[in-house]
Amino acid sequence: MAGSDVATDASSAPDTVKILIAGGFGVGKTTMVGSVSEIVPLRTEEPLTMAGLGVDDLDGIEEKRATTVALDFGRITISQDLVLYLFGTPGQQRFWFMWNDLALGALGAVVLVDVRRPESSFAAIDFFERRGIPFVVGVNGFFGEHPYPPEDIREALAVPEHVQLLLCDARDRESCRDVLIALIDQLIASAVQA
Ligand SMILES: Nc1nc2c(ncn2[C@@H]2O[C@H](COP(=O)(O)OP(=O)(O)OP(=O)(O)O)[C@@H](O)[C@H]2O)c(=O)[nH]1
Ligand SMILES: [Mg+2]
């Protein structure tokens, strides 16, 4: 019967969880959402122009041509019971006012760090700590290299011991998926403890 089919479908629908992908300017947030999303991601990027000279610090990201002005949106199915909706934040300080709205209803976050410029993601760590939103730190190797041991980066960014810190590559789907799974594991562990 059609009616009972609908009831069955509703009861077996996966849980959906909102996750933020945050971090400093140009650390690879849009790239990460794009790598891992199983749908064509929604992007709100605008070109970087001469108007940003002296405002946008392109040191280390000289090839960067566009910047997120609102959000990225993607989706990944972790298991038949769990689907993550991913919201990438804008990285530039002039768009940070949007973070509060983007964070509404988020269960957790990935703070992405560019291994060459870790300090650019310090404000993101501070943002989630202050609000008590659980997060993990993903250290994007950028050129596939990880020159510093994770504990040095943890110390440099004062990441607490209970927060997982993982080395990753924002361009690599499996690597990004591992970071998200670490976040889910951390969320489940803290829910069990509560
Ligand atoms: N080589 C390399 N390039 C990367 C990597 N991640 C991102 N990029 C490039 O670096 C630039 C910045 O990446 P984005 O994904 O736009 O960074 P973002 O954090 O979304 O930037 P904003 O939204 O402007 O804050 C782009 O040109 C990417 O193609 C990486 O892991 N390795
Ligand atoms: Mg972006």
Side-chain angles (χ1 to χ4, degrees), residues 24 26-31 44-45 64 66-69 71-72 88-91:
V27 297
K29 303 174 295 293
T30 299
T31 303
T44 60
E45 289 196 292
K64 190 165 166 57
T67 189
T68 303
V69 295
L71 78 163
D72 307 302
T89 62

Side-chain angles (χ1 to χ4, degrees), residues 42-190:
L42 170 79
R43 290 182 176 159
T44 60
E45 289 196 292
E46 293 294 336
L48 286 164
T49 66
M50 298 298 279
L53 275 182
V55 180
D56 301 327
D57 182 1
L58 289 171
D59 261 7
I61 44 172
E62 291 81 5
E63 299 304 308
K64 190 165 166 57
R65 296 284 171 263
T67 189
T68 303
V69 295
L71 78 163
D72 307 302
F73 176 74
R75 186 190 73 198
I76 177 171
T77 302
I78 297 291
S79 69
Q80 59 180 14
D81 304 322
L82 183 62
V83 171
L84 306 185
Y85 288 118
L86 307 175
F87 289 74
T89 62
Q92 286 168 305
Q93 202 162 356
R94 59 183 174 276
F95 299 129
W96 282 359
F97 67 92
M98 275 181 265
W99 285 35
N100 280 326
D101 286 344
L102 283 171
L104 286 175
L107 234 58
V110 173
V111 174
L112 201 57
V113 170
D114 177 345
V115 72
R116 305 161 306 165
R117 307 174 290 127
E119 69 291 345
S120 70
S121 290
F122 192 76
I125 291 175
D126 191 51
F127 178 91
F128 294 111
E129 270 186 344
R130 280 173 191 268
R131 284 160 185 79
I133 298 174
F135 64 97
V136 296
V137 174
V139 181
N140 187 15
F142 241 81
F143 294 104
E145 288 167 19
H146 286 285
Y148 310 111
E151 51 277 19
D152 286 7
I153 301 165
R154 181 182 289 280
E155 196 183 328
L157 288 173
V159 177
E161 279 304 320
H162 68 271
V163 172
Q164 289 198 64
L165 183 146
L166 301 99
L167 304 182
C168 69
D169 184 334
R171 300 163 298 176
D172 182 75
R173 181 169 199 275
E174 288 306 310
S175 171
C176 297
R177 196 170 187 274
D178 288 347
V179 174
L180 291 168
I181 288 172
L183 173 62
I184 297 303
D185 287 346
Q186 192 171 298
L187 292 175
I188 291 170
S190 53

